Amino acid sequence: MNHFSYRNGELHAEDVAIGEIASAVGTPLYCYSSATLERHFRVFEAALPKGTLIAYAVKANGNLAVIRTLARLGAGADIVSAGELKRALAAGIPASKIVFSGVGKTREEMAQALVAGIFQFNVESEEELEVLNEVALSKSQRAAVSIRVNPDVDARTHAKISTGKAENKFGIGWDRAKDAYARAALLSGIEVVGVAVHIGSQITELGPFREAFAKVAELVGALRAAGHKISRIDLGGGLGVPYALEDAPPLPDAYGDVVRDAVGDLQAQLIVEPGRLITANAGVLISRVTYVKSGDERRFIILDAGMNDLIRPAMYDARHDIVPVIEARDSQRRVYDVVGPVCESADLFARDRELPPIAAGDLVAILSAGAYGAVQASSYNARALVPEVLVRGRHFAVTRPRLSVEDMMAREIMPEWLH
Ligand code: LLP
């Protein structure tokens, strides 16, 4: 459920008319709903065993106001860089609730996270384990570590966001996991605390989770039998969301049951790392139609938003529903290709999409764009970096103003020999 709906024929974010935001901020823009963020967090929290740490995956939407909204509800953070560490801390997430994931943590990033005093590192290779040990010892610390294991489970999602197969770069191979724990136990800068797993994103069936969590449970048993103190289990993120009306991914309660069944009795602190589930349907990308162009074969709606603002359709063949901001009066539908202005044929938001008649100057909303939208935006084609707005009830605030082309040019330096 989300808080974007038509009122008096106009799309609203909570109690604010989208047209009002578009007039004030200009288009394109991202608009997030606080009530939706909060609802998604609470529903997920309620579905999981009590005491589970919900480490919000900052990569899905790193806007400081979005993170703070979640921090106020008690969220932790799953980070993958020193940049995300800074964002999470600045937004008010306590270091004691921060989990550091990622295959390529540098020494500098490890040092910063140790100084901050984060909850744990999810280590993804034996090589990383050795480096983290060195960095921790150089700071006279012990790093709390969960080893991310690769369960070789097919998440049955898009290949580019599948992470739990043996062929993927993520985690320590299943067969080597026990050796890695044995090695970790010998390193005095490392305190092994748990097992971590994350098999992919936008997963729309429970089977892959069930399979992966069962393997994790078995490993926890084996590791404990071998004398390791495994007090935490991190199950990663990945629960899919509906992108279209007909999509029906598993509900949080059903996912919670899978978690309880698999690891509920293991007397461990559970951790989850949801990103998309919290933010995807809490955000929309608002754009104005620049032209409606009739080609020889197709009719194109050309938006002022492009693939640089939302790359998901181009990158993952993602489907996003698109709706007019002013509700269509007649039920007549036409078939359009909805595209952006960027000079690439991949700059296509929807192909052969049935939409009500749309004219130049109309506003449209690209739905379910709150996760992996603004964070993956760029200024390709020298386009201004898209702004972000957060709504709360009757109020809205620009939380990241548009970064103008002048702002961006001002940060470039002309070499002396070109003066
Ligand atoms: N934990 C780890 C270690 C991850 O790698 C990810 C996502 C998450 C948690 C959060 O997963 P979620 O709950 O959001 O599914 N840009 C792509 C998605 C990339 C996901 C990367 N990792 C997209 O737009 O579909």
Side-chain angles (χ1 to χ4, degrees):
M1 207 206 103
N2 63 60
H3 293 75
F4 296 96
S5 60
Y6 288 104
R7 291 193 195 167
N8 305 320
E10 179 171 2
L11 189 67
H12 280 59
E14 303 188 23
D15 301 330
V16 185
I18 293 291
E20 187 188 336
I21 303 175
S23 302
V25 181
T27 53
L29 71 97
Y30 275 96
C31 171
Y32 310 127
S33 150
S34 304
T36 314
L37 290 167
E38 291 170 358
R39 183 188 150 81
H40 290 169
F41 182 87
R42 291 204 169 104
V43 166
F44 199 52
E45 185 179 44
L48 291 162
K50 234 184 160 36
T52 301
L53 171 62
I54 303 186
Y56 165 62
V58 170
K59 64 170 80 69
N61 186 323
N63 187 279
L64 292 175
V66 167
I67 305 174
R68 180 162 297 179
T69 301
L70 299 170
R72 294 226 166 135
L73 300 181
D78 168 51
I79 58 158
V80 290
S81 68
E84 287 189 353
L85 172 65
K86 287 180 186 154
R87 281 188 170 274
L89 292 172
I93 304 236
S96 60
K97 292 185 181 177
I98 295 180
V99 173
F100 195 170
S101 303
V103 293
K105 303 173 197 80
T106 64
R107 284 173 190 265
E108 181 50 37
E109 288 179 315
M110 291 170 176
Q112 286 182 32
L114 283 165
V115 169
I118 66 162
F119 188 56
Q120 74 178 34
F121 291 82
N122 287 356
V123 168
E124 303 221 13
S125 66
E126 288 93 334
E127 292 80 354
E128 183 190 338
L129 204 51
E130 303 289 338
V131 171
L132 180 57
N133 178 51
E134 280 173 35
V135 177
L137 289 178
S138 77
K139 302 218 156 302
S140 309
Q141 287 197 31
R142 289 188 88 194
V145 163
S146 283
I147 292 185
R148 176 169 171 185
V149 290
N150 184 324
D152 194 20
V153 165
D154 185 354
R156 295 196 279 278
T157 180
H158 192 281
K160 286 187 186 161
I161 50 175
S162 179
T163 57
K165 289 282 290 168
E167 72 208 39
N168 300 128
K169 69 179 175 182
F170 301 97
I172 291 186
W174 196 251
D175 298 337
R176 294 211 316 277
K178 285 178 199 156
D179 289 348
Y181 277 90
R183 175 70 191 140
L186 301 175
L187 301 173
S188 51
I190 300 287
E191 183 193 359
V192 174
V193 294
V195 176
V197 74
H198 171 78
I199 56 172
S201 195
Q202 186 53 15
I203 299 169
T204 53
E205 314 163 46
L206 291 174
F209 290 119
R210 215 174 268 125
E211 211 183 316
F213 298 169
K215 286 185 112 172
V216 166
E218 188 193 309
L219 180 64
V220 169
L223 291 172
R224 283 179 173 165
H228 299 287
K229 194 170 159 278
I230 303 296
S231 58
R232 303 179 191 168
I233 301 177
D234 182 338
L235 299 170
L239 185 56
V241 303
Y243 278 96
L245 266 183
E246 62 272 21
D247 291 351
L251 294 174
D253 274 342
Y255 172 87
D257 289 342
V258 170
V259 169
R260 254 180 285 271
D261 284 353
V263 297
D265 294 335
L266 293 180
Q267 317 290 326
Q269 159 76 57
L270 299 181
I271 304 160
V272 286
E273 305 168 352
R276 189 189 309 268
L277 179 91
I278 308 240
T279 58
N281 283 309
V284 297
L285 174 59
I286 306 300
S287 177
R288 201 174 285 282
V289 176
T290 310
Y291 297 106
V292 178
K293 166 177 166 176
S294 293
D296 287 344
E297 294 179 16
R298 321 187 71 84
R299 195 181 290 115
F300 296 98
I301 293 175
I302 303 177
L303 300 180
D304 66 0
M307 65 190 285
N308 67 299
D309 303 307
L310 176 66
I311 204 165
R312 301 197 66 259
M315 184 108 145
Y316 316 102
D317 311 305
R319 183 202 156 94
H320 286 263
D321 275 348
I322 301 173
V323 299
V325 167
I326 300 299
E327 198 168 17
R329 294 215 172 151
D330 54 34
S331 55
Q332 187 198 339
R333 290 280 184 277
R334 293 182 140 198
V335 175
Y336 298 97
D337 281 359
V338 185
V339 304
V342 171
C343 297
E344 303 225 15
S345 294
D347 187 20
L348 176 78
F349 291 114
R351 177 180 281 278
D352 290 333
R353 187 67 61 86
E354 278 193 21
L355 292 169
I358 282 183
D362 288 356
L363 286 172
V364 298
I366 303 180
L367 305 183
S368 314
Y372 306 108
V375 278
Q376 292 191 268
S378 76
S379 55
Y380 184 40
N381 276 202
R383 290 164 48 77
L385 195 62
V386 61
E388 295 172 277
V389 166
L390 182 65
V391 170
R392 170 164 214 96
R394 286 183 296 108
H395 306 284
F396 73 90
V398 178
T399 59
R400 185 179 75 177
R402 193 180 309 279
L403 193 59
S404 73
V405 174
E406 286 74 17
D407 296 333
M408 290 190 282
M409 285 196 297
R411 291 159 54 169
E412 290 180 30
I413 300 167
M414 196 62 75
E416 215 171 273
W417 64 87
L418 291 175
H419 281 186

